[in-house]
Amino acid sequence: MTAHLYPLANGLSTDHPVPGLPFVDDSHIPLDEGPEAIEAVGRNKGDGMWGRCDPNRGDGGWRAFTTDPLDNSVGWSVRYHPDHGRTVLLMRDGATSSLHSTWDGGQLLFRAGGYWWDGTTWYRPGQIWDPVTQDYEPRKARAAVTVSAADMLDGRADPGRAYIGKVLTFDTEASALENWGDHLALWAARHQERDGALPLDTCVVDLASPELTGAQLIGVPEMAELGGITASTLRAYISRDNSEVPQPQATVGGRDQWARAVADDWVEARRRSYDGVRATMSAGDRHKLSRGAAEVRDRYAADFHDTLWGRPDVRKRWILRARNEDSVREISDALAWNVASSLDRVLPTHLLGNTIENAVLHDFADAIDLDGQVQARPKKRARKSDWLHLWVSRPVAEMLDWFVRHHPQSAHHYIGEITREAHTRWQIPAEDTLYTLRQAVALDGKLSQEDTESFFALLTPPAKND
């Protein structure tokens, strides 16, 4: 998975400063000229440079990024919203495209280790994958309040103790600023000088939520315990910047701290992950097999034991003088025959046959739906050239080929069922169905051309006598 994204600095022209990060002069980037101008700074300008821009159709905004022309090791990422202004961030150049993809949605800005804001509501870091929407489920942060620049400014801040950095002298390894309030005051003064600048009370800096109070933060030991792993394992994940572990919401005394709500989401995400599914469906034995695989192992273990020990003619070969290559080969062949002759016990042919039949008919239905003239054609059709273009998707074709190679008798039966059903539903001539299936197997399967032709010749309807 992609590593977590950490901005290096705020662009001076941002409307939404990230707490703790310095401000860097971005006046050499045409931020006021639109996304295409930002993209053009780096796109096709030389080795190690790139730029891109895309609209965000849902909110009427856009996003763009470019390699910095003065220092190609860093780049600028910009997210613009017509009502909420823009976020301008200095990133490591390799991270700009990843952030660009992350911004392809309602996320306007991120705070507190992945909490995000859509202009109205704050959400926790996305961790729970929804297979229906093919996106992370948005989960609202509890009682979250937006903290603006106006909220954070106070009379104690001194802009004179702050500075605006330059790209060429910027230290990408610098730690967070301790006197960030002074830097915020300097940014605010420059911000208010801009024409059409957002009011400071609409410039989002941070959020406050009961989820993020000290009492709700936990460290590595508690986080690991919730996740059912050791603290050392969690630290190893973190050291590798494994993005399956959420970003910490705070660092206290040099130690990472997570909101309990974020940790609970992480635990749920782990349970729903492939590893979680495997653990849930495990047989619970030393081999860590799934329950079905363990059943296959146990069945063949019993069969092999019966062959190797239960048959006197085989058992006698365990004596030392009978242990030779020919004897071992005979026993190996017997065990292999046991497996090959019992494939139906691993994958029942009646289940596989019905599944393939329905998959092929589903692909045919898709082809028919896409054929705009199907309703206008007469019910009786002549040759395949007069019929619409049928197809079988590659995975289905490969499975059909496997079926034919391993269970030819059953495959013969179910292909006949497909031919009959296609004719009943859509009046597709049998030769057209068989031609489509034969081509699919020939293109995507492992059968030789000769075997393919021979097998399908046995499916061709007999010629009718006049």
Side-chain angles (χ1 to χ4, degrees):
M1 295 182 68
T2 305
H4 292 308
L5 302 173
Y6 297 97
L8 301 172
N10 295 295
L12 182 59
S13 299
T14 191
D15 290 318
H16 308 294
V18 177
L21 296 185
F23 293 88
V24 173
D25 185 8
D26 54 20
S27 60
H28 60 299
I29 304 298
L31 299 172
D32 294 327
E33 297 178 22
E36 292 82 4
I38 298 171
E39 175 192 272
V41 171
R43 193 175 186 89
N44 298 321
K45 292 300 173 66
D47 291 340
M49 295 190 68
W50 193 243
R52 175 167 178 162
C53 66
D54 288 285
N56 279 69
R57 304 186 189 281
D59 57 29
W62 50 263
R63 61 198 191 280
F65 71 88
T66 181
T67 304
D68 188 276
L70 305 178
D71 181 354
N72 294 170
S73 69
V74 296
W76 296 94
S77 293
V78 185
R79 174 70 160 94
Y80 171 79
H81 188 280
D83 298 323
H84 300 291
R86 65 190 177 196
T87 293
V88 184
L89 296 172
L90 183 69
M91 308 285 295
R92 297 188 188 279
D93 190 53
T96 53
S97 60
S98 297
L99 180 58
H100 189 82
S101 298
T102 302
W103 267 336
D104 183 19
Q107 302 92 333
L108 296 182
L109 47 85
F110 299 88
R111 296 292 186 269
Y115 278 75
W116 57 277
W117 185 67
D118 66 355
T120 304
T121 306
W122 285 96
Y123 299 88
R124 293 200 294 273
Q127 298 187 81
I128 312 301
W129 185 256
D130 184 342
V132 177
T133 63
Q134 288 294 291
D135 201 353
Y136 292 103
E137 179 185 347
R139 296 192 167 184
K140 293 181 180 180
R142 185 160 53 91
V145 176
T146 299
V147 180
S148 70
D151 296 327
M152 297 195 69
L153 291 168
D154 60 44
R156 295 173 294 175
D158 182 2
R161 295 195 297 261
Y163 62 87
I164 302 299
K166 299 291 185 181
V167 166
L168 288 175
T169 58
F170 180 74
D171 181 5
T172 58
E173 303 299 327
S175 57
L177 299 170
E178 294 184 359
N179 64 327
W180 192 73
D182 299 331
H183 290 261
L184 180 66
L186 177 59
W187 165 83
R190 297 288 189 88
H191 175 80
Q192 291 174 304
E193 294 173 356
R194 283 172 40 203
D195 293 336
L198 287 181
L200 292 177
D201 61 359
T202 61
C203 294
V204 178
V205 175
D206 212 343
L207 81 153
S209 168
E211 296 181 7
L212 298 172
T213 59
Q216 292 297 316
L217 297 179
I218 61 175
V220 167
E222 299 90 345
M223 181 85 164
E225 183 178 0
L226 287 173
I229 57 177
T230 64
S232 60
T233 298
L234 178 56
R235 290 190 181 96
Y237 289 165
I238 295 169
S239 68
R240 295 196 297 266
D241 199 18
N242 187 325
S243 64
E244 292 180 0
V245 179
Q247 294 184 48
Q249 277 59 67
T251 301
V252 181
R255 298 177 183 273
D256 291 338
Q257 301 278 297
W258 289 266
R260 176 59 188 260
V262 173
D264 288 340
D265 286 351
W266 174 66
V267 171
E268 182 178 346
R270 281 176 57 80
R271 190 169 62 249
R272 291 172 175 267
S273 69
Y274 289 145
D275 288 341
V277 172
R278 183 171 61 248
T280 298
M281 298 306 294
S282 170
D285 61 11
R286 68 186 186 281
H287 295 135
K288 298 182 179 179
L289 295 173
S290 66
R291 294 171 188 174
E295 290 173 1
V296 172
R297 178 205 58 200
D298 294 344
R299 182 185 305 127
Y300 283 115
D303 288 351
F304 292 169
H305 180 270
D306 184 61
T307 299
L308 297 172
W309 192 254
R311 289 172 48 183
D313 61 318
V314 174
R315 185 169 58 192
K316 68 182 182 181
R317 301 191 184 193
W318 292 111
I319 62 175
L320 185 61
R321 60 186 173 83
R323 296 178 191 172
N324 54 64
E325 184 177 356
D326 290 340
S327 293
V328 171
R329 180 174 290 111
E330 287 181 18
I331 296 172
S332 299
D333 289 346
L335 297 177
W337 178 88
N338 186 304
V339 174
S341 64
S342 59
L343 287 177
D344 188 58
R345 296 166 65 187
V346 179
L347 182 59
T349 54
H350 70 285
L351 300 180
L352 177 60
N354 274 289
T355 301
I356 292 176
E357 178 184 346
N358 283 288
V360 169
L361 294 173
H362 179 273
D363 285 348
F364 280 14
D366 280 348
I368 292 169
D369 287 343
L370 291 175
D371 183 65
Q373 301 178 2
V374 66
Q375 298 298 332
R377 291 177 176 174
K379 288 190 174 183
K380 286 189 176 181
R381 298 166 176 90
R383 305 297 301 169
K384 56 181 172 290
S385 58
D386 298 321
W387 180 246
L388 74 168
H389 174 64
L390 296 172
W391 70 75
V392 176
S393 60
R394 183 171 184 174
V396 176
E398 291 180 356
M399 194 69 252
L400 179 61
D401 168 79
W402 187 95
F403 197 27
V404 172
R405 287 186 291 112
H406 291 79
H407 301 288
Q409 302 98 313
S410 293
H412 184 280
H413 168 75
Y414 282 101
I415 291 175
E417 288 294 300
I418 292 170
T419 304
R420 180 187 63 79
E421 187 66 22
H423 184 268
T424 301
R425 289 192 194 181
W426 302 295
Q427 296 78 49
I428 301 176
E431 56 266 35
D432 291 357
T433 296
L434 294 174
Y435 172 83
T436 301
L437 299 183
R438 183 172 65 249
Q439 288 297 101
V441 169
L443 290 173
D444 297 319
K446 296 181 180 179
L447 276 173
S448 67
Q449 181 178 357
E450 180 181 356
D451 287 344
T452 300
E453 295 295 335
S454 297
F455 177 79
F456 277 92
L458 299 175
L459 287 157
T460 303
K464 293 182 179 179
N465 295 324
D466 294 332

